[in-house]
Amino acid sequence: MVGHRERWRRRAAAGGNARDASIRAMPPAPPSLPIRIDPLPYEDRLAPRDPLQVELVVIHCTELPDLATARVYGERVLYPDSGTGNSGHFYIDRDGSVHRWVAVDRVAHHVRGFNPRSVGIELVNTGRYPDWLDSRRQAMDEDYSEAQVASLVALLQALKAELAGLRHVAGHEDLDTAIVEASDDPSRQVRRKRDPGPRFPWARVLAAVDLQRLPPMPPL
């Protein structure tokens, strides 16, 4: 029997979101994108992979106050058997600086069910911090900076050029659709993941990169 994830994957592969040519495109990407290489302490313990198997980029936001706090969370060992934790591959700070914490030829833990074939990009943004699952604190009010979006477009274009199998992009909220109890009131439910959230400029990004956005998965 074909599971719902496989049915969803087949449907996504057969279609995709058509992009309106009239959408205003982002400014041209800079000719080169400086990337600061700062591997996580456990990078070499993450599972290796052939970069050719990467076909998806997942856009996240950190839902944390700053890059330094994201680093603290990223370095935490959450899986004792492997000595690894959760993180994206790339982080983009509010000033547009790009940081690579995990090489693309390693499998980072950043999204349920899609890690082996995806690259995770985290944008520094407060999101719902610090009350992520509080039903009264679900607004995501911080805009993404112009510098962040420009660097994201440049990074996506660079990954598209380097990874022959890369075809799709999705938000974390499109793939992890779990509904959980609210932390303030168990009788209420909230989305486990909402990033990159309602203020992410999907139309602008999709108009500037040759990637198809995957449709959201059914709620879990």
Side-chain angles (χ1 to χ4, degrees):
M1 179 179 294
V2 178
H4 77 279
R5 283 185 183 272
E6 180 62 18
R7 289 197 301 271
W8 172 88
R9 190 188 68 79
R10 292 179 182 178
R11 177 165 57 91
N17 291 356
R19 287 174 288 172
D20 186 347
S22 66
I23 294 174
R24 179 170 64 91
M26 287 293 298
S32 63
L33 178 67
I35 298 178
R36 303 179 188 182
I37 310 300
D38 189 12
L40 289 169
Y42 54 73
E43 182 191 41
D44 62 354
R45 295 194 290 275
L46 293 166
R49 68 178 175 194
D50 183 347
L52 293 177
Q53 77 184 73
V54 174
E55 59 183 37
L56 169 67
V57 172
V58 182
I59 308 298
H60 305 253
C61 78
T62 58
E63 294 206 79
L64 294 168
D66 50 41
L67 185 66
T69 307
R71 183 72 184 198
V72 171
Y73 275 74
E75 291 187 357
R76 290 179 179 174
V77 173
L78 302 176
Y79 310 109
D81 288 347
S82 63
T84 63
N86 291 334
S87 80
H89 291 83
F90 297 93
Y91 286 72
I92 303 179
D93 209 347
R94 294 180 178 91
D95 63 0
S97 60
V98 181
H99 308 255
R100 195 191 79 189
W101 292 359
V102 175
V104 174
D105 64 359
R106 296 281 175 170
V107 178
H109 304 295
H110 63 98
V111 57
R112 290 178 173 182
F114 296 87
N115 291 320
R117 62 186 183 94
S118 69
V119 167
I121 300 178
E122 296 266 3
L123 304 174
V124 175
N125 185 285
T126 306
R128 300 170 293 176
Y129 176 84
D131 302 306
W132 299 282
L133 300 181
D134 190 316
S135 65
R136 303 162 298 178
R137 304 284 192 274
Q138 291 301 295
M140 300 178 73
D141 295 329
E142 182 183 355
D143 290 322
Y144 293 94
S145 73
E146 289 295 319
Q148 275 182 312
V149 179
S151 290
L152 173 63
V153 166
L155 178 56
L156 290 172
Q157 291 173 342
L159 291 172
K160 175 65 176 174
E162 295 171 8
L163 302 173
L166 184 57
R167 295 175 297 161
H168 295 124
V169 63
H172 195 186
E173 62 190 329
D174 297 331
L175 306 179
D176 188 337
T177 55
I179 305 295
V180 298
E181 289 182 355
S183 59
D184 61 304
D185 183 351
S187 69
R188 306 189 68 178
Q189 294 185 319
V190 296
R191 287 285 304 272
R192 200 178 83 88
K193 297 296 181 183
R194 292 198 65 212
D195 57 311
R199 293 186 178 270
F200 183 76
W202 275 113
R204 296 174 62 187
V205 172
L206 292 174
V209 298
D210 185 22
L211 296 171
Q212 294 284 334
R213 185 182 179 185
L214 290 178
M217 287 190 62
L220 296 177

